[in-house]
Amino acid sequence: MELLVASAIGVLTAAGIYLVLRLRTFPVILGMSLLTYAVNVFLFASGRLTVGAPPILTDGATTYTDPLPQALVLTAIVISFGMTAVVVMISLGAYLGSDDDHVDDPAEPKGSEADQ
């Protein structure tokens, strides 16, 4: 099971990095989303979650689940949603301003405006 979770984290991270390095804004947004999913799965896996166990130790329970990774993942989900909304608005503004969705536009030569 550990190999499956580690492979899933690796695939999500690799695909996210590949998409972030693209030159269009939509793949960059998808890549950032995949990277946040990889971080969330990593946080869950690092917490050694126990299936079917309560998050706090009660009288009838013999085992319990650590609630800290769950709280960290919930916080990471909220932060990634806000970050995705900001990046979408920035990319939409850049697209509407220049009619192109390239992440890095080529710079103009330094002497081009002075020559005209």
Side-chain angles (χ1 to χ4, degrees), residues 3-116:
L3 180 65
L4 180 65
V5 172
S7 299
I9 293 170
V11 167
L12 284 172
T13 303
I17 289 174
Y18 174 75
L19 288 173
V20 164
L21 295 176
R22 303 293 292 173
L23 292 178
R24 301 282 182 182
T25 55
F26 186 68
V28 170
I29 294 168
L30 286 179
M32 289 178 58
S33 297
L34 286 178
L35 284 174
T36 57
Y37 294 150
V39 169
N40 290 344
V41 173
F42 176 72
L43 287 174
F44 267 134
S46 68
R48 296 184 184 150
L49 296 179
T50 308
V51 178
I56 52 176
L57 191 57
T58 58
D59 293 332
T62 58
T63 61
Y64 70 99
T65 301
D66 187 16
L68 183 64
Q70 296 174 13
L72 288 174
V73 168
L74 183 61
T75 305
I77 289 170
V78 171
I79 290 171
S80 68
F81 177 73
M83 182 185 64
T84 303
V86 167
V87 170
V88 166
M89 292 309 294
I90 289 173
S91 64
L92 183 63
Y95 175 73
L96 292 176
S98 65
D99 291 332
D100 193 14
D101 66 341
H102 278 281
V103 174
D104 55 346
D105 291 330
E108 294 182 15
K110 291 186 177 183
S112 64
E113 291 183 17
D115 293 337
Q116 295 177 352

